[in-house]
């Protein structure tokens, strides 16, 4: 099976590439913007026609898109998360390769959900920020393309390679600095947020399974269990051997709604939650579809993911 992997050098893409390379039945070609890609191509600025010619030459059976942006303004997010996917869909429609498309979406497409609930694929998406909007638009493009396609909505990925700017990455870095300085207490904010953390290696397994399956539409990929960031911090402290006290800073008030004037103290205040995903205080995936249609279940627990995050943070100078 010849697979074209887009975004192989990204956080998720690296693990997907490793998983595919371990399959002797897969012939992998990586396409991306970096010099270390097999083929250099910028989806945000390249034409569908140019990508079509490449698809016809390589003739992949599966195209996996792990590329995208998680940070930046609305224009940048739209270019890399929506326009890029439009280019892929149009190129696949024009091509004669008949490839299956596996698109990586995200849990931020759903937006905030009711605490205690599990979000299934039939939930009405209400993204709470430009990132979720740009990813939802990409999903709608894929679903309306008429292609043989599946969108994996990945919730909160964790594990090795976790970006230092992510909530778990920031936790690990703050703990590393506290231990290095000999601080007996660590003060952190936003620990009440609850997210569904899923290990990146389990995500890679799901992508591999989706590329071999006949599943179409949207499939949630998560652990199926929301974890409070405060509890994750406690596990990280145990893994790191940090014996100091963890103190939660007072919660920042939620920003006023549209039309409500800001007080002087509210100007310049950070968002109430440490995630830029617009998902409020709670997210938990219903992962029954992944089990039933992909034969996939998460295998790696959060403690192992956190241990790997800490290993990398501890080695940082």
């Amino acid at each position: 099976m010849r697979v074209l992997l887009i975004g192989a050098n990204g956080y998720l893409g690296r693990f997907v590439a490793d998983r595919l390379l371990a399959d002797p039945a897969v012939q992998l070609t990586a396409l991306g913007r970096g010099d270390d890609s097999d083929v250099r191509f910028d989806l945000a600025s390249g034409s569908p026609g140019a990508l079509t010619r490449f698809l016809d030459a390589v003739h992949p059976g599966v195209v996996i898109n792990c590329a995208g942006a998680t940070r930046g303004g609305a224009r940048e997010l739209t270019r890399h998360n929506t326009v890029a996917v439009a280019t892929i869909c149009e190129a696949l429609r024009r091509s004669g390769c008949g490839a299956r498309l596996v698109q990586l979406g995200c849990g931020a497409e759903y937006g905030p959900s009711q605490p205690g609930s599990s979000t299934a694929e039939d939930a009405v998406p209400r993204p709470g920020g430009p990132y979720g909007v740009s990813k939802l638009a990409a999903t709608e493009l894929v679903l309306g393309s008429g292609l043989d396609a599946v969108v994996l909505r990945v919730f909160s990925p964790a594990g090795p390679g976790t970006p230092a700017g992510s909530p778990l990455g920031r936790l690990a870095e703050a703990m590393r600095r506290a231990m290095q300085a000999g601080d007996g207490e660590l003060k952190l904010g936003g620990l009440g947020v609850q997210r569904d953390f899923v290990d990146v290696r389990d995500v890679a397994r799901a992508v591999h399974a989706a590329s071999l399956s006949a599943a179409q539409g949207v499939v949630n990929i998560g652990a199926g269990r929301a974890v409070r960031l405060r509890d994750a911090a406690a596990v990280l402290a145990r893994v790191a051997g940090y014996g100091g006290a963890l103190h939660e800073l007072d919660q920042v008030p939620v920003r006023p709604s549209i039309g409500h004037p800001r007080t002087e103290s509210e100007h310049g205040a950070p968002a109430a939650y440490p995630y830029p995903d617009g998902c409020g205080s709670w997210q938990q995936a219903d992962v029954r579809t992944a089990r039933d249609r992909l034969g996939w279940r998460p295998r790696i627990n959060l403690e192992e993911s956190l241990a790997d995050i800490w290993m990398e943070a501890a080695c940082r100078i």
Side-chain angles (χ1 to χ4, degrees), residues 184-210:
E185 64 176 10
L186 183 59
K187 296 180 179 180
L188 301 164
L191 297 183
V193 168
Q194 297 182 71
R195 287 292 182 270
D196 188 329
F197 296 106
V198 57
D199 193 274
V200 288
R201 291 157 292 194
D202 281 333
V203 173
R205 288 178 42 247
V207 173
H208 189 199

Side-chain angles (χ1 to χ4, degrees), residues 203-228:
V203 173
R205 288 178 42 247
V207 173
H208 189 199
S211 68
L212 298 172
S213 77
Q216 295 187 335
V218 174
V219 179
N220 289 340
I221 302 299
R225 181 173 69 95
V227 175
R228 197 179 302 273

Side-chain angles (χ1 to χ4, degrees), residues 226-252:
V227 175
R228 197 179 302 273
L229 204 54
R230 183 186 303 114
D231 297 331
V235 173
L236 187 64
R238 185 173 71 250
V239 167
Y242 178 66
L246 296 176
H247 295 296
E248 185 170 3
L249 297 174
D250 292 338
Q251 291 292 316
V252 178

Side-chain angles (χ1 to χ4, degrees), residues 22-228:
D23 184 346
V26 170
Q27 293 179 307
L28 184 65
T29 301
L31 181 148
R33 291 181 291 168
D35 293 334
D36 47 356
S37 298
D38 295 325
V39 178
R40 290 189 64 184
F41 189 84
D42 188 344
L43 289 169
S45 59
S47 71
L51 184 56
T52 299
R53 290 191 289 275
F54 175 73
L55 290 172
D56 287 339
V58 175
H59 214 78
V62 178
V63 174
I64 300 172
N65 181 32
C66 296
T70 58
R71 298 183 182 276
R75 177 176 295 181
E76 184 179 4
L77 291 169
T78 301
R79 284 181 63 241
H80 292 291
N81 294 337
T82 310
V83 174
V85 173
T87 298
I88 294 171
C89 290
E90 181 59 25
L92 282 169
R93 278 196 297 262
R94 295 182 188 182
S95 172
C97 68
R100 173 173 171 76
L101 174 61
V102 179
Q103 163 72 12
L104 264 66
C106 68
E109 296 175 42
Y110 291 115
S113 56
Q114 187 68 27
S117 66
S118 292
T119 303
E121 290 84 357
D122 59 357
V124 177
R126 293 187 176 89
Y131 171 63
V133 169
S134 68
K135 293 293 287 186
L136 176 60
T139 292
E140 295 299 336
L141 285 170
V142 171
L143 298 181
S145 67
L147 299 169
D148 173 14
V150 62
V151 177
L152 303 183
R153 276 189 177 144
V154 179
F155 277 62
S156 297
T162 293
S166 70
L168 293 180
R170 288 199 300 269
L171 276 176
E173 179 61 16
M175 200 163 291
R176 182 190 70 81
R177 291 185 177 185
M179 294 177 71
Q180 191 175 45
D183 292 340
E185 64 176 10
L186 183 59
K187 296 180 179 180
L188 301 164
L191 297 183
V193 168
Q194 297 182 71
R195 287 292 182 270
D196 188 329
F197 296 106
V198 57
D199 193 274
V200 288
R201 291 157 292 194
D202 281 333
V203 173
R205 288 178 42 247
V207 173
H208 189 199
S211 68
L212 298 172
S213 77
Q216 295 187 335
V218 174
V219 179
N220 289 340
I221 302 299
R225 181 173 69 95
V227 175
R228 197 179 302 273

